[in-house]
Amino acid sequence: MLAKISEKYMHRVRWCLTCGWLLLIFSLFYDPISPLLTDPNSIWSPFKVNPQVCISVQGECIKQSSYAMGASLFWGLIVPCGVFFLLVFGHEFWRRICPLSFMSQLFRGLGKQRQRKRVNPKTGQIHYELVKIKADSWLGRNYLKLQFALLYVGVCGRILFYDSSRIILGIFLLFSIGSAILVGYLYGGKAWCQYFCPMAPVQEFYGEPRGLLNSVAHEGKQAIITQSMCRRQNSDGTEVSACVACHSPCIDIDAERTYWDWVKKPDYKFLYYTYAGLVVGFFVYYYLYSGNWNYLLSGAWTRQENQLETLFNPGFYLFNTPIPIPKLVAAPLTVALFSALGYFIGIQLDKFYKSYQLQRNPILTPQQLQHQIYTLTTFWVFNFFFIFAGRSYIGKLPLGLQYLFNVMLVVVSTLWLYRTWGRSPEGYARESLASRLRQQLTRLQLDVSRFLEGRSLESLNADEVYVLAKILPGFTGDKRLEAYKGILRDSLEEGYVNSTSSLEVLQQMRQELGISEQEHLTILTELGVEDPDLLDPNQQRSRENQLRLQSFRQRIRGMVTNKRRRGATGLGRELLKVVKKEKSISDVLDKEGGTVESLSQEYGITLEEEAKILGNLDEEEQRLRRSNILLRQLQDLWEVEQALLYPPSSLDIPYLKTGLGILCSTVAQKQRVIAKGVLKILEQWDSGTEATRIALALGSLTVSVLPELLEDREQNWEQRLNPTLISRLQQQLKQENDTPTNVPNDVMVSYLETLLAEPDSLTKAVSLYLLAQLNLERGQQQARQLLDSYLMLNPSLKETAQQILTTATENESRVVTPLERLLYLSSCDLLKTLKAESLMELAYQVPFKNYQQSDIIWEQGEISKDLLLLLEGTVECQRMDEEGELNIEEIKSVQLLNELEILGNMEVRGTFVVTSNLAYVLVIEGTMFNELLGQDKGFSRKVIEQESRRLQQLQHLTSS
């Protein structure tokens, strides 16, 4: 709700609230004014105490007299308002106004936070970095439990020490402020809010996945600054991100994304169910202690002057009988027992609800079911909380307003329930991707106005955006690919997907836009060429980190722009020194006061990140770095290619060589895209030592694909590149290399495992299958990992992995998976000319038969209706010629038995007998074969040509 309000205005609001809170704390130590408002003799004050009303505690009326209202206002009004604001306005409202969060940033505002000193071992340059809590540290893994433990201690402290003891409450609040300021000094970012604040679990409980009126970060025009994320104001009034990526995923950037990332984790069950028990235990204890509800509802517990004197009094009063357990023990014990009971009951109800819902609605995902349970829990706890919270002040309102307030609570919580109930991670992902598509449509500047009927593109929901993309006349071909490329780039930069998961995560988007799997892989490789770091598996990408680096990069570019405006000539001389390696780019920018260093500290930039970003300002250095990375990738691909071309002898089997050919095609496609990227880099160089080195390396590593690229008339590389470089490339291509030997098994295994990381499902399946042929144990390990992964949407890959795992454990009849059938079909000379889609369809549809030794497949003279392909084993064709002599022809694996007969609907030319122990045959129905001939003209032409040659050979044999 407050996301779009300027930081300048909110800064003033926080100052006012902070001053008000400090004034409240001061009143806890000295307050001569508010006791006048609670004086029983006061005529006009609605807060005056009525001594005639008996508020019983353990059977005795407590003494009522005027009191200072600081503690009463804090517990009875401010805290309940905080809970109400979280549910209604969302976490972003509270985070942007929270005085404690504001004060935790004191040292950050002063620029005096703790920093870690680092020295560059090569240059000796000293660099200071903000200290941040690491995600894999103990605190990074257990902060939620720590925060809940602090919340538990705080709740018990309320009951025992500072519910009404104003001095102790003041000390407690000052201690909290001091702790927040200290944590803000020790760690960068909002470390206090993210890792320590006891109110953080309460914010997550009521504020996630979204408040009733809060803004949404993943829809509409995605801005750099969203919700309650850290921001700062420039001198010109513009706002920039101040995020240092102290926590990922960050609730301040996108609360709903944080919720869906955590919803399936055990820590959230602990939070929701234990917090529900804690709330119940807290309120119930006042009844167990006093023996009635009036003590709690009247708010007398906030003004009981002798709170510390009751620590060793009986802690329970049940059935008009004090129980001799000291309050010091009874209160923590009650809250702990109720918290544990809440967790136990929550777990049992969780199991019952999931079982019940899965019987009624089995399509619900585990995340949706868990979300529904959490939503119901929050709804119930919120309404239970306000049965008791704030009643000491609500009770002073006229009766009609009290009823109106109660109705408002129910209406608000019900609306929240209605708005939240239908949310799902799939819906969130669809909306997020639709938002990315909306941005791409805007960037392409397509005319969409005539389809919107006066509405704006931002106002369309996710389904409408997808429909619009399908019907837009100009959004076809290259435009779709360009838009998808932008979506994929943004998703990779933000860590929403990685190179491996992108194919499956963006599957629905690909289907909506009509993007094939191969086009996706080509675009992915192109993105890796444009930005090699984008696909680096060692880099942990996140939206938080992207925003941090993007903001730092923009500020640096702004500095360069400002320097150009102030003196282009001077800047030109300085940048020339950078090109000559006489100065670093940071020296040039820091000339006027260490600006880069201060910016690095502000954004928590590491030494490596700073060097990389500043290095990218030097275009030649950036080109050289990119080309070296791409050449290393080509080197790796060349080694894989050589292994596939010269495999171990155990893979020298026709259908397995077909699988190697499929992998070679994948490698060649990547080589083409990367080589094209290197050529574009060479285009920016005239000549020189580095350009020549790169050209020679490119020529030696892309022998199989570079000639085709250079001959491409559309690209016209001979005109675009320097003639010297073209000459170097062509000379390198003409050089003859030594024929390598077949690679050993263990080396081939490592290359196949490398190819398993490719996102293409067919490449994965073939690599896994060949790996199992070489090393069954390694193949089973990889198959098990794939089956345990959530990225198992491709049926062929799943079936292949399952077959590999069952091969060693079950001694059953041979099972031929669709992948194996595809390999066999692709190995057949006649069928391999079919389109890939037709081959894949055949692989899933055609059955296979098993034959034993001496079985007769056909008798001579029969009419064959089906086309048979021998997969494994050997078969003899016994044919009697016109002179009565028996001619025997041996047919080996991966050969068709009756292609001529089925085409001419002729009698079988001989008797086919199985001579091996077993034979496996694929059966292609004649009607299916005829459909393929009719659908694929290229295949029909190939069949006619091949069978014509066969007939000529038969006629020649007959005549001779």
Side-chain angles (χ1 to χ4, degrees):
M1 183 178 180
L2 300 181
K4 295 183 179 180
I5 298 180
S6 70
E7 179 65 9
K8 181 178 180 180
Y9 178 80
M10 291 306 302
H11 189 75
R12 294 171 181 171
V13 171
R14 285 193 293 271
W15 263 116
C16 292
L17 290 175
T18 300
C19 291
W21 195 30
L22 292 174
L23 181 62
L24 176 68
I25 294 173
F26 178 78
S27 73
L28 296 174
F29 297 97
Y30 176 72
D31 182 8
I33 300 174
S34 65
L36 300 177
L37 300 176
T38 59
D39 191 329
N41 299 318
S42 175
I43 300 175
W44 54 272
S45 175
F47 305 109
K48 64 182 178 180
V49 172
N50 186 355
Q52 306 302 320
V53 177
C54 175
I55 300 175
S56 175
V57 177
Q58 298 193 357
E60 297 182 3
C61 297
I62 62 173
K63 179 183 177 182
Q64 294 198 70
S65 57
S66 62
Y67 62 94
M69 295 180 64
S72 177
L73 285 171
F74 186 76
W75 299 124
L77 197 60
I78 295 174
V79 171
C81 282
V83 171
F84 181 84
F85 290 158
L86 284 170
L87 190 88
V88 177
F89 302 113
H91 81 286
E92 64 183 54
F93 181 93
W94 181 255
R95 285 288 184 108
R96 291 204 73 188
I97 66 172
C98 177
L100 196 57
S101 173
F102 178 53
M103 285 187 279
S104 73
Q105 300 298 299
L106 175 63
F107 281 104
R108 180 177 184 171
L110 296 173
K112 301 294 183 182
Q113 289 178 285
R114 181 171 68 120
Q115 296 172 354
R116 182 185 291 115
K117 180 180 178 181
R118 288 191 59 188
V119 180
N120 189 323
K122 295 181 180 180
T123 64
Q125 179 186 0
I126 298 176
H127 183 85
Y128 291 92
E129 297 176 2
L130 281 178
V131 180
K132 293 188 286 187
I133 296 171
K134 296 181 179 180
D136 58 352
S137 64
W138 181 91
L139 183 55
R141 289 180 282 108
N142 298 283
Y143 68 90
L144 194 58
K145 293 185 178 70
L146 173 65
Q147 289 173 325
F148 193 88
L150 293 175
L151 177 63
Y152 169 78
V153 171
V155 168
C156 293
R158 281 188 58 179
I159 299 173
L160 296 174
F161 303 109
Y162 43 81
D163 258 348
S164 60
S165 178
R166 295 183 296 113
I167 301 298
I168 297 181
L169 176 59
I171 294 172
F172 169 75
L173 293 179
L174 290 175
F175 174 77
S176 300
I177 293 172
S179 300
I181 293 174
L182 177 62
V183 170
Y185 166 76
L186 294 175
Y187 300 104
K190 287 186 179 178
W192 168 259
C193 304
Q194 303 284 15
Y195 295 99
F196 293 94
C197 180
M199 273 294 290
V202 182
Q203 294 175 42
E204 293 178 6
F205 186 88
Y206 294 108
E208 292 181 353
R210 52 168 65 178
L212 182 61
L213 300 176
N214 74 303
S215 63
V216 178
H218 69 284
E219 289 188 90
K221 185 178 180 181
Q222 288 190 339
I224 293 179
I225 302 175
T226 62
Q227 292 189 344
S228 55
M229 68 177 292
C230 299
R231 63 195 79 185
R232 65 182 295 276
Q233 190 171 35
N234 287 329
S235 56
D236 60 359
T238 58
E239 290 188 4
V240 294
S241 166
C243 177
V244 299
C246 63
H247 190 267
S248 181
C250 179
I251 187 175
D252 289 303
I253 294 176
D254 190 345
E256 187 164 1
R257 183 183 68 133
T258 306
Y259 176 78
W260 293 123
D261 281 357
W262 276 89
V263 73
K264 54 192 175 185
K265 297 184 180 180
D267 278 1
Y268 252 38
K269 286 188 178 182
F270 172 82
L271 165 64
Y272 271 82
Y273 304 148
T274 310
Y275 177 76
L278 182 141
V279 171
V280 175
F282 172 74
F283 288 122
V284 167
Y285 179 74
Y286 287 101
Y287 174 83
L288 298 177
Y289 169 69
S290 65
N292 62 83
W293 289 111
N294 190 38
Y295 174 64
L296 171 63
L297 297 174
S298 65
W301 47 278
T302 65
R303 56 179 185 266
Q304 192 174 358
E305 295 295 337
N306 64 337
Q307 182 177 8
L308 296 181
E309 299 173 7
T310 65
L311 290 178
F312 295 97
N313 290 350
F316 297 114
Y317 187 76
L318 302 174
F319 307 108
N320 299 320
T321 304
I323 308 299
I325 299 176
K327 184 181 179 182
L328 187 64
V329 175
L333 181 64
T334 301
V335 177
L337 286 175
F338 271 88
S339 298
L341 189 62
Y343 181 75
F344 175 78
I345 294 175
I347 292 295
Q348 300 307 313
L349 291 177
D350 185 300
K351 294 177 181 178
F352 170 78
Y353 182 82
K354 288 179 179 177
S355 175
Y356 173 74
Q357 282 287 36
L358 286 175
Q359 292 177 1
R360 293 186 56 201
N361 195 357
I363 65 171
L364 288 174
T365 64
Q367 289 89 346
Q368 284 178 285
L369 287 172
Q370 195 65 65
H371 164 66
Q372 290 179 0
I373 296 168
Y374 290 162
T375 302
L376 289 172
T377 304
T378 302
F379 175 78
W380 182 84
V381 171
F382 178 82
N383 285 282
F384 179 85
F385 179 87
F386 277 102
I387 292 174
F388 306 101
R391 289 295 158 177
S392 58
Y393 287 95
I394 297 169
K396 300 181 185 301
L397 298 173
L399 194 59
L401 290 180
Q402 292 185 42
Y403 285 128
L404 182 62
F405 179 79
N406 293 332
V407 170
M408 181 195 69
L409 288 175
V410 174
V411 169
V412 163
S413 60
T414 304
L415 288 173
W416 177 88
L417 178 67
Y418 173 78
R419 186 172 187 254
T420 308
W421 182 262
R423 301 300 298 162
S424 68
E426 294 77 18
Y428 172 83
R430 182 173 175 79
E431 292 167 356
S432 180
L433 289 174
S435 179
R436 299 173 196 272
L437 176 57
R438 190 184 291 111
Q439 291 181 50
Q440 296 305 319
L441 291 174
T442 303
R443 289 174 186 172
L444 293 175
Q445 298 181 343
L446 296 172
D447 182 17
V448 299
S449 57
R450 58 195 178 100
F451 298 96
L452 301 183
E453 298 180 351
R455 298 171 63 188
S456 65
L457 192 59
E458 285 72 22
S459 67
L460 300 182
N461 62 36
D463 294 329
E464 290 171 331
V465 172
Y466 285 120
V467 171
L468 177 64
K470 290 179 179 179
I471 65 173
L472 274 176
F475 193 57
T476 56
D478 292 341
K479 291 289 187 182
R480 284 181 185 265
L481 293 175
E482 185 181 345
Y484 184 75
K485 186 175 183 178
I487 293 169
L488 183 56
R489 181 191 294 108
D490 293 344
S491 300
L492 288 166
E493 287 177 345
E494 294 180 9
Y496 180 73
V497 298
N498 56 40
S499 58
T500 304
S501 66
S502 60
L503 186 68
E504 305 295 349
V505 175
L506 300 179
Q507 183 183 38
Q508 185 180 19
M509 171 67 74
R510 288 192 293 107
Q511 292 173 349
E512 297 282 2
L513 296 182
I515 306 295
S516 69
E517 188 171 307
Q518 187 57 52
E519 287 172 329
H520 167 88
L521 298 175
T522 302
I523 291 172
L524 190 64
T525 308
E526 289 175 356
L527 289 174
V529 172
E530 294 169 5
D531 182 3
D533 296 323
L534 198 60
L535 305 184
D536 186 354
N538 298 319
Q539 288 197 13
Q540 298 297 321
R541 292 186 173 273
S542 65
R543 187 177 181 187
E544 292 76 15
N545 210 41
Q546 182 222 12
L547 289 170
R548 177 176 66 95
L549 296 176
Q550 182 179 354
S551 300
F552 177 75
R553 196 179 294 114
Q554 287 178 348
R555 298 280 296 279
I556 292 293
R557 286 174 180 167
M559 290 165 53
V560 173
T561 303
N562 291 336
K563 284 182 178 292
R564 284 199 183 102
R565 290 171 181 168
R566 287 199 295 267
T569 305
L571 178 64
R573 285 197 298 267
E574 296 294 332
L575 291 179
L576 182 61
K577 293 180 180 179
V578 173
V579 173
K580 293 179 178 180
K581 310 300 181 185
E582 296 175 4
K583 281 189 176 183
S584 69
I585 189 71
S586 57
D587 291 336
V588 175
L589 295 178
D590 287 347
K591 196 173 181 181
E592 297 180 9
T595 316
V596 172
E597 183 179 355
S598 61
L599 277 180
S600 296
Q601 294 172 9
E602 180 181 342
Y603 287 100
I605 302 297
T606 64
L607 193 62
E608 295 78 9
E609 290 169 340
E610 180 184 296
K612 178 181 172 183
I613 292 173
L614 294 178
N616 286 340
L617 295 176
D618 184 346
E619 294 183 2
E620 184 175 348
E621 185 70 26
Q622 185 181 8
R623 287 200 303 267
L624 186 60
R625 177 177 171 273
R626 276 185 58 207
S627 59
N628 287 334
I629 293 175
L630 295 179
L631 289 176
R632 284 197 296 270
Q633 293 178 1
L634 286 174
Q635 175 68 38
D636 294 339
L637 289 172
W638 181 84
E639 292 174 0
V640 174
E641 180 188 37
Q642 296 305 300
L644 295 173
L645 293 174
Y646 303 96
S649 56
S650 56
L651 296 182
D652 192 14
I653 302 172
Y655 82 98
L656 295 181
K657 290 177 73 174
T658 301
L660 293 171
I662 292 174
L663 298 182
C664 273
S665 299
T666 300
V667 171
Q669 177 61 23
K670 294 191 71 172
Q671 285 177 322
R672 288 187 197 95
V673 178
I674 296 175
K676 190 175 178 180
V678 177
L679 289 174
K680 288 181 179 179
I681 294 175
L682 287 174
E683 184 182 8
Q684 302 173 44
W685 264 310
D686 289 333
S687 60
T689 305
E690 290 295 341
T692 303
R693 177 185 66 82
I694 293 169
L696 293 174
L698 177 63
S700 63
L701 296 174
T702 55
V703 176
S704 59
V705 299
L706 188 57
E708 179 186 349
L709 286 176
L710 293 178
E711 292 171 4
D712 189 347
R713 293 183 178 179
E714 291 184 6
Q715 296 295 328
N716 197 18
W717 289 112
E718 290 191 1
Q719 298 295 325
R720 293 166 62 180
L721 293 179
N722 183 285
T724 304
L725 296 179
I726 286 288
S727 175
R728 295 288 187 182
L729 285 171
Q730 292 173 342
Q731 289 175 9
Q732 189 65 35
L733 288 173
K734 291 177 182 178
Q735 289 189 4
E736 295 185 3
N737 298 318
D738 296 334
T739 303
T741 57
N742 292 56
V743 298
N745 276 19
D746 56 340
V747 176
M748 192 69 190
V749 165
S750 66
Y751 288 136
L752 290 173
E753 288 182 328
T754 301
L755 289 169
L756 262 173
E758 291 292 323
D760 175 23
S761 53
L762 180 59
T763 302
K764 280 181 181 291
V766 173
S767 302
L768 180 63
Y769 182 76
L770 295 177
L771 177 62
Q773 306 303 309
L774 287 177
N775 189 323
L776 182 59
E777 183 180 354
R778 289 296 300 148
Q780 288 178 334
Q781 290 177 4
Q782 294 289 349
R784 197 171 291 111
Q785 289 178 15
L786 283 170
L787 289 172
D788 292 339
S789 169
Y790 70 96
L791 299 173
M792 281 301 303
L793 302 180
N794 184 270
S796 177
L797 177 57
K798 187 173 184 179
E799 290 170 2
T800 303
Q802 289 172 338
Q803 184 208 26
I804 290 171
L805 289 176
T806 51
T807 299
T809 57
E810 298 180 10
N811 189 18
E812 299 178 354
S813 60
R814 176 86 157 85
V815 176
V816 182
T817 64
L819 174 66
E820 286 180 298
R821 299 180 197 183
L822 176 65
L823 295 179
Y824 281 118
L825 291 168
S826 303
S827 303
C828 177
D829 290 337
L830 181 66
L831 298 175
K832 67 183 179 183
T833 56
L834 274 171
K835 293 179 180 178
E837 297 82 0
S838 300
L839 278 173
M840 188 65 73
E841 186 177 352
L842 267 181
Y844 272 95
Q845 291 183 358
V846 294
F848 75 99
K849 290 184 179 180
N850 300 334
Y851 290 94
Q852 304 290 330
Q853 190 172 18
S854 301
D855 284 351
I856 297 176
I857 300 176
W858 277 309
E859 293 279 2
Q860 185 170 353
E862 290 183 10
I863 301 294
S864 60
K865 297 181 180 180
D866 301 322
L867 182 64
L868 301 189
L869 174 64
L870 178 63
L871 302 185
E872 296 179 14
T874 55
V875 173
E876 283 186 353
C877 176
Q878 303 172 357
R879 186 176 70 254
M880 297 293 293
D881 60 16
E882 294 177 355
E883 298 177 358
E885 292 187 9
L886 180 65
N887 295 318
I888 297 177
E889 178 186 354
E890 185 178 66
I891 301 174
K892 295 184 179 180
S893 59
V894 200
Q895 290 189 35
L896 292 170
L897 301 182
N898 60 328
E899 66 269 31
L900 279 175
E901 289 83 349
I902 197 170
L903 283 170
N905 196 24
M906 300 183 297
E907 295 179 354
V908 177
R909 58 189 173 87
T911 300
F912 290 81
V913 182
V914 177
T915 57
S916 57
N917 291 331
L918 286 172
Y920 301 97
V921 177
L922 273 184
V923 181
I924 304 173
E925 294 181 0
T927 54
M928 184 183 297
F929 185 71
N930 290 330
E931 287 177 4
L932 291 174
L933 288 172
Q935 294 172 359
D936 193 334
K937 293 181 179 180
F939 175 59
S940 302
R941 191 181 304 110
K942 180 67 176 178
V943 169
I944 292 172
E945 292 174 358
Q946 188 163 327
E947 297 314 315
S948 297
R949 286 194 295 270
R950 290 287 304 277
L951 285 171
Q952 291 174 0
Q953 291 172 1
L954 287 174
Q955 288 175 357
H956 177 71
L957 290 172
T958 303
S959 62
S960 62

